[in-house]
Amino acid sequence: MYLLYWSPGSASMAPHGALEEAGARYELALVNTDEGAHRDPAYVKLNPNAKVPTLVVDGKFVMFESAAMVMLIADRHPEARLAPGPDEMARGHFYQWLVYLTNSLQPAMLRFYYPERHTADEGGHEAVKAKAMEEIATLWGRIDQHLAAHGPYLLGERFSAADIPAHMLSTWQQCCPNTYERFPHVKRLADLVAARPAMQRVIRKNG
């Protein structure tokens, strides 16, 4: 049994999607970040980063980092085929894209949304945001090129749990206006993911 601490529009959508796709038994616990619930001492005891998501497994195992949760869920539910098997070379690309999304693209987006975390000079916020937007467009461009040549999913014809955070990040468009118009192969992936019944349930919950 899983318990996912989540907040709408946050990175919790990635493990939420993986749980739904896996057909796993889970419950959601809303963390109202607008009201600062992520800084509540009881929550910080679970996740010292004071961020969402947090995943609790069987009432005792606790972890943070959404990409790590996606990997764990895929491994614990092999019948859902959310990731290539350990003996498949494609497993390496599954790891590659999950890490690229969470280690390259998402941090650039967070620099746009939270420029104050990256400079003590209030007058420098707009410069941080402008540079972040430039980097985000470059990163989406690389993903779009990959999908054009090897898509429609990140692993080719095969849907995987790596496509869930790709879809999630593609909806964060304030930092990259007109993402879908500029990167049509990213849009194709996002549309395919959004059309999946499990993901439709998650999207409605996060709407």
Side-chain angles (χ1 to χ4, degrees), residues 1-13 15-16 19 25-33 37-38 40 42-43 46-47 51-57 62 69 205-206:
M1 180 68 172
Y2 299 90
L3 175 62
L4 179 67
Y5 288 85
W6 77 297
S7 179
S10 75
S12 61
M13 189 176 184
H16 187 182
L19 287 168
R25 290 177 58 244
Y26 71 93
E27 295 179 354
L28 298 174
L30 178 64
V31 180
N32 193 327
T33 55
H38 55 301
D40 183 273
Y43 183 75
L46 286 173
N47 188 335
K51 297 179 180 179
V52 288
T54 300
L55 185 67
V56 181
V57 185
V62 182
M69 295 174 197
K205 188 74 175 179
N206 279 267

Side-chain angles (χ1 to χ4, degrees), residues 1-203:
M1 180 68 172
Y2 299 90
L3 175 62
L4 179 67
Y5 288 85
W6 77 297
S7 179
S10 75
S12 61
M13 189 176 184
H16 187 182
L19 287 168
E20 192 69 35
E21 286 281 351
R25 290 177 58 244
Y26 71 93
E27 295 179 354
L28 298 174
L30 178 64
V31 180
N32 193 327
T33 55
D34 290 338
E35 296 181 358
H38 55 301
R39 292 188 291 272
D40 183 273
Y43 183 75
V44 173
K45 188 174 181 180
L46 286 173
N47 188 335
N49 301 300
K51 297 179 180 179
V52 288
T54 300
L55 185 67
V56 181
V57 185
D58 297 331
K60 53 189 176 182
F61 179 87
V62 182
M63 66 183 298
F64 48 82
E65 293 297 337
S66 60
M69 295 174 197
V70 169
M71 292 178 189
L72 178 74
I73 294 163
D75 284 346
R76 296 190 86 215
H77 300 274
E79 71 285 353
R81 296 182 57 80
L82 294 178
D87 58 340
E88 297 181 66
M89 291 304 297
R91 181 99 167 179
H93 284 159
F94 172 70
Y95 290 145
Q96 168 190 285
W97 287 113
L98 270 176
V99 172
Y100 185 80
L101 291 166
T102 195
N103 208 42
S104 296
L105 182 57
Q106 189 170 335
M109 290 180 163
L110 294 178
R111 283 196 291 278
F112 173 87
Y113 290 111
Y114 303 102
E116 70 278 3
R117 296 178 182 175
H118 301 279
T119 177
D121 177 12
E122 290 187 11
H125 290 181
E126 290 306 313
V128 170
K129 293 174 69 173
K131 189 63 178 177
M133 291 181 74
E134 179 182 315
E135 182 178 355
I136 292 161
T138 297
L139 295 169
W140 272 134
R142 290 173 186 161
I143 294 171
D144 198 69
Q145 289 175 2
H146 166 75
L147 293 172
H150 305 290
Y153 298 107
L154 290 169
L155 300 186
E157 296 292 333
R158 179 178 185 172
F159 168 79
S160 76
D163 298 305
I164 300 173
H167 165 272
M168 176 190 76
L169 293 175
S170 79
T171 67
W172 297 4
Q173 295 199 10
Q174 185 182 355
C175 60
C176 188
N178 304 313
T179 299
Y180 293 154
E181 289 79 3
R182 296 161 70 184
F183 307 110
H185 301 286
V186 171
K187 181 182 187 301
R188 180 174 61 167
L189 179 148
D191 287 346
L192 287 169
V193 173
R196 297 176 66 84
M199 288 305 300
Q200 287 180 11
R201 294 190 291 272
V202 172
I203 291 166

